[in-house]
Amino acid sequence: MTTTSATTTSATTSTALDVREMTLPPALVLELEVSAGPGPGAMTAAMGKAFSTLMNVIQGHNLVAAGSPRAIYQSWDGSGTRFTAAIPILNAPTEVLEQEGVKVASIPEQQALRIIHRGSYQTLRDTYTQIEAWLRGKGAIRTQADWARYRPMWEEYVGDPATTPEPELVTRIFLPLR
C-alpha cells in the first residue's frame, strides 16, 4: 500500500490531497442502476431515492449492511449522469428480491487509488479539480478522454447527510487501477 500526499494550490487555498493506493477486498452489494439529469439537485434527488430504495430492501429482507453506501459512476456529460447506487451487504438474501431493478452483485478484489474528501458534497468538484491536477502532474492523464481508464470510479459516503454536520462528512473517492 502506498500513501502519497500532494499539495495543490489554487488562488485561494492550499490543500493536501490524501491519496493512497489500496487493494480493496471483494464485496457483495445490493445495487440499483440510476440516471440523473443535469439540472440543479438532480443528483441529490436521484441518490436519495436510490439509497432509500436499497435501505428498504435491506430492511425488508432482514439483511445486514456491511459498509458505506457508494455511487459507482458509469458515465457523465452535459445531459446527465449514469451511476449504480450500491450498499455492501454481509450475506445474500435467501428470498427473491421484489423491488424492480435491485439486484445482488459481487465486486471483485481490485487495486485502486483512494482519495479522501472532507466536508460538504457541494465542494466535491473542488476535490476532483485537485485530483485532475495531481494526475496531470504525474502524467497519468493528458486529456479528458484519459479519465476513461479510471472508470468505473466510485464514491463512498461516510456519515448520513441528514444527521452528520457538513464539516464532518467524509467521501472516499476511488479510482480503479488496471
Side-chain angles (χ1 to χ4, degrees):
M1 179 177 352
T2 304
T3 302
T4 303
S5 179
T7 303
T8 58
T9 306
S10 70
T12 58
T13 63
S14 175
T15 307
L17 196 59
D18 179 1
V19 180
R20 179 173 291 173
E21 186 174 320
M22 310 179 75
T23 300
L24 302 167
L28 184 66
V29 299
L30 274 187
E31 65 179 24
L32 178 62
E33 304 241 351
V34 181
S35 291
M43 279 297 293
T44 301
M47 280 192 185
K49 183 177 180 185
F51 289 130
S52 177
T53 297
L54 292 174
M55 286 306 296
N56 287 337
V57 171
I58 287 172
Q59 292 167 353
H61 288 272
N62 296 315
L63 300 173
V64 177
S68 299
R70 59 180 76 168
I72 305 165
Y73 293 95
Q74 308 304 326
S75 66
W76 55 90
D77 60 28
S79 66
T81 304
R82 280 188 334 100
F83 67 96
T84 302
I87 298 178
I89 53 175
L90 197 54
N91 295 311
T94 56
E95 307 162 336
V96 174
L97 297 177
E98 299 165 2
Q99 181 66 42
E100 187 174 329
V102 176
K103 61 184 180 181
V104 177
S106 295
I107 298 174
E109 177 179 289
Q110 57 190 308
Q111 289 291 116
L113 293 176
R114 186 206 65 200
I115 300 100
I116 301 293
H117 168 82
R118 298 182 191 286
S120 170
Y121 300 141
Q122 301 302 317
T123 60
L124 270 167
R125 183 174 301 258
D126 297 337
T127 298
Y128 278 102
T129 298
Q130 293 174 353
I131 293 168
E132 183 166 343
W134 183 78
L135 289 170
R136 283 182 185 278
K138 294 195 140 313
I141 62 171
R142 291 188 178 89
T143 69
Q144 285 301 112
D146 291 335
W147 273 103
R149 78 174 59 132
Y150 296 108
R151 287 188 192 149
M153 52 87 45
W154 69 98
E155 297 171 350
E156 290 182 354
Y157 308 103
V158 180
D160 181 346
T163 58
T164 304
E166 275 192 354
E168 296 174 25
L169 290 171
V170 173
T171 304
R172 294 182 283 225
I173 301 166
F174 291 92
L175 305 179
L177 299 173
R178 299 186 205 323

